[in-house]
Amino acid sequence: MEHTVENKNDFTRDWVSSSRFLFYLKLACVLGFVLGGCYKLSEHRYKKPKVTVPESSLYSPKYK
């Protein structure tokens, strides 16, 4: 005769705590992907070139 002890802390037995755990795990994964994507976008953003504008085309132009 085999004696088995039921494990009360088993992940597959208690669906309430396991679904809560999976929800927070998915939330953490989505948050990690969003933050990682934002970091990569800010790291490789378009850098504006320094453009020289002639003084005659400014809002208040300066003429010689």
Side-chain angles (χ1 to χ4, degrees):
M1 186 169 180
E2 186 179 329
H3 295 288
T4 60
V5 177
E6 185 178 343
N7 187 0
K8 300 272 186 199
N9 296 329
D10 191 12
F11 181 77
T12 59
R13 297 277 181 206
D14 189 13
W15 69 272
V16 175
S17 64
S18 63
S19 64
R20 186 182 306 139
F21 170 74
L22 291 175
F23 171 74
Y24 286 127
L25 182 66
K26 284 192 275 188
L27 193 66
C29 289
V30 168
L31 187 66
F33 277 114
V34 167
L35 290 177
C38 289
Y39 173 73
K40 280 296 186 183
L41 282 175
S42 68
E43 187 178 287
H44 298 294
R45 68 178 176 264
Y46 177 73
K47 294 175 178 56
K48 295 180 184 176
K50 186 67 177 172
V51 178
T52 56
V53 179
E55 291 181 346
S56 62
S57 64
L58 294 174
Y59 182 72
S60 54
K62 299 175 186 172
Y63 298 108
K64 292 182 180 179

